[in-house]
């Protein structure tokens, strides 16, 4: 089962706004060859970092494990090792493109994710491991 990752408006603004600003720079009248090269590198780096995050952003429950996929990154935790899940808006860290996040605590690890359908994720995890504590 896959649950789509959530992408906040601020992330779209960074991605689209950054691309628009860089492309606008190409229309500068006094653009030198070095400036054009710098703009191309900026455009390439912005898109090589941000586009994979938008394209591959989901949580997958497969068998006995939960896998978070975000861009080129992938992190897994066994469902039987999950002890607690809860909502948070913690901006400090986490693999999430939105501040509307879910913390998944395990025996030895903790993951922070953002999904569109949190209730579906909670229900499925609780079904697979009734010992999981869900804080709302």
């Amino acid at each position: 089962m896959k649950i789509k990752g959530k992408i906040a408006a601020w992330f779209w603004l960074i991605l689209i706004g950054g691309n628009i600003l860089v492309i606008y720079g190409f229309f500068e009248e006094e653009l030198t060859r070095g400036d054009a090269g710098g703009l191309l590198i900026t455009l390439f780096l912005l898109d090589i970092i941000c586009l994979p995050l938008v394209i591959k952003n989901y949580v997958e429950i497969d068998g006995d494990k939960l896998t978070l996929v975000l861009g080129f990154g992938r992190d897994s935790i066994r469902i039987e090792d999950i002890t607690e899940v809860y909502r948070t808006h913690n901006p400090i860290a986490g693999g999430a493109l939105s501040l509307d996040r879910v913390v998944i605590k395990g025996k030895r690890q903790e993951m922070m994710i953002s999904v569109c359908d949190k209730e579906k994720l909670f229900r499925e995890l609780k079904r697979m491991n009734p010992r999981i504590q869900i804080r709302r």
Side-chain angles (χ1 to χ4, degrees):
M1 166 192 294
K2 279 188 183 179
I3 301 173
K4 185 178 178 199
K6 186 174 186 178
I7 304 170
W10 60 263
F11 190 82
W12 285 112
L13 286 173
I14 290 171
L15 178 59
I16 295 168
N19 276 289
I20 288 171
L21 285 174
V22 172
I23 291 170
Y24 177 76
F26 282 110
F27 295 103
E28 184 67 32
E29 288 183 21
E30 297 178 16
L31 184 69
T32 66
R33 190 175 216 155
D35 292 339
L39 287 173
L40 277 174
I41 290 170
T42 303
L43 185 64
F44 176 76
L45 288 175
L46 177 66
D47 288 340
I48 200 75
I49 292 169
C50 292
L51 285 179
L53 298 176
V54 172
I55 294 168
K56 291 183 74 178
N57 180 13
Y58 60 90
V59 173
E60 185 173 32
I61 298 174
D62 185 25
D64 66 339
K65 70 179 181 177
L66 175 110
T67 303
L68 164 66
V69 178
L70 185 61
F72 298 116
R74 180 177 286 262
D75 198 8
S76 295
I77 185 170
R78 290 172 25 139
I79 294 174
E80 69 183 37
D81 291 341
I82 297 173
T83 58
E84 179 181 20
V85 294
Y86 60 91
R87 299 170 190 253
T88 186
H89 292 288
N90 183 351
I92 300 296
L97 302 182
S98 170
L99 292 177
D100 185 16
R101 300 172 176 188
V102 173
V103 174
I104 299 175
K105 286 190 173 189
K107 294 176 182 174
R108 289 179 221 121
Q109 77 186 93
E110 182 176 305
M111 297 189 319
M112 199 176 297
I113 59 174
S114 184
V115 293
C116 291
D117 193 349
K118 286 180 263 336
E119 293 305 317
K120 182 178 179 181
L121 176 65
F122 292 166
R123 277 192 314 270
E124 189 63 22
L125 289 175
K126 190 70 169 176
R127 184 185 70 74
M128 296 182 78
N129 181 356
R131 294 183 317 244
I132 295 174
Q133 180 185 5
I134 298 175
R135 285 196 278 152
R136 303 218 183 243

